[in-house]
Amino acid sequence: MPPLPSEQGTIQLDLIGIGTGNPDHLTVQAIRAMNAADLILLPRKGSAKADLLDVRRAICEAVLEQPVRMVEFDLPTRDSAGDYIDGVQAWHRAIAAAWARQIATHLPKGGKLALLVWGDPSLYDSTLRIAGQLIGEGMAVDVRVVAGITSIQALTAAHAIPLNRLADAITITTGRLLRAHGWPMGVGTIVVMLDEGGAFQALDPADVEIWWGAYLGMKQEALIAGRLADVGTEIMERRSALRQRHGWIMDVYLMRKST
């Protein structure tokens, strides 16, 4: 973590959920917070994911009603070699250091900083943990979360389905955990996030239905639903084609076991 100026003032850090990238998904609270910011940081994730930066820019252009300073910065990449948890924690430290450099440069006396977070900062997102690293290093940071529409909400809305069946439990998990442990015991509905692709292939597809969505809320939105045994291959082929076309993909899916 770079040293902070001795006169560094308090940073009000607004972590603003922006849903799935559609400006219509922003809440009134989110729009007000963006307009009240002294600085909005926009991360660059490399040329392959330039569309993600473009979406953030488009959201700012759509909702900002007054001049707000926007600064782009290069987001560190995660080293995928070695232990997963150690790699993620090192990555978070690197991101916190990148934030600290931008704060020291652009808000040396403190102020209101906004970061635009996909979905909601509370759901499978590490922005709150990274903000905690700044606080742990002694920076005066007042964190506020502005809730956003999650990819799960966008998925169920796109397919017009309820998240849970009557009196049934749900589990939200990741592709990595689904591959490692299979279908959770005693649960009829699962939502799978952060899947690098096709974790459902590790399951017995019998009596499983799936609702899949990619780029939810965006112009390139793609949806597939049906019996896993019938549409699993179609999902994998569509996912591969979309990723090749756009250079990146964000998808999520819900599965139910038939009663």
Side-chain angles (χ1 to χ4, degrees), residues 19-224:
T20 58
N22 185 337
D24 291 342
H25 288 180
L26 267 68
T27 64
V28 173
Q29 183 186 15
I31 294 171
R32 287 175 178 164
M34 290 175 63
N35 278 278
D38 298 311
L39 174 70
I40 298 175
L41 287 180
L42 302 176
R44 290 188 295 257
K45 297 185 177 183
S47 58
K49 296 186 177 180
D51 283 356
L52 296 177
L53 178 59
D54 291 340
V55 170
R56 281 187 166 96
R57 287 199 199 107
I59 288 173
C60 291
E61 292 172 2
V63 306
L64 290 178
E65 300 168 351
Q66 59 189 26
V68 176
R69 188 175 188 186
M70 294 183 287
V71 172
E72 299 176 10
F73 72 103
D74 292 322
L75 193 72
T77 57
R78 178 172 67 86
D79 185 357
S80 58
D83 180 75
Y84 174 77
I85 297 297
D86 290 344
V88 170
Q89 290 176 340
W91 180 44
H92 289 173
R93 290 192 294 270
I95 295 174
W99 288 4
R101 285 191 292 271
Q102 298 302 319
I103 290 169
T105 300
H106 302 290
L107 293 176
K109 298 186 182 300
K112 296 180 179 180
L113 171 63
L115 290 167
L116 309 183
V117 180
W118 295 109
D120 182 271
S122 71
L123 181 63
Y124 278 107
D125 183 86
S126 294
T127 311
L128 277 165
R129 282 183 282 272
I130 296 167
Q133 302 243 1
L134 296 179
I135 298 171
E137 291 292 328
M139 181 179 290
V141 178
D142 180 15
V143 177
R144 182 178 69 152
V145 172
V146 179
I149 292 175
T150 67
S151 60
I152 297 174
Q153 292 167 292
L155 177 72
T156 55
H159 284 288
I161 57 172
L163 178 59
N164 65 296
R165 290 185 299 205
L166 183 63
D168 192 17
I170 66 167
T171 291
I172 302 171
T173 188
T174 66
R176 184 172 62 89
L177 291 174
L178 184 65
R179 283 189 178 92
H181 304 294
W183 193 286
M185 292 289 292
V187 176
T189 299
I190 64 173
V191 176
V192 183
M193 305 180 65
L194 304 179
D195 185 1
E196 294 182 358
F200 54 75
Q201 295 177 108
L203 302 174
D204 179 354
D207 301 323
V208 175
E209 291 183 277
I210 185 169
W211 292 262
W212 172 85
Y215 312 102
L216 292 162
M218 301 181 183
K219 62 183 180 181
Q220 61 266 50
E221 179 179 273
L223 303 171
I224 296 175

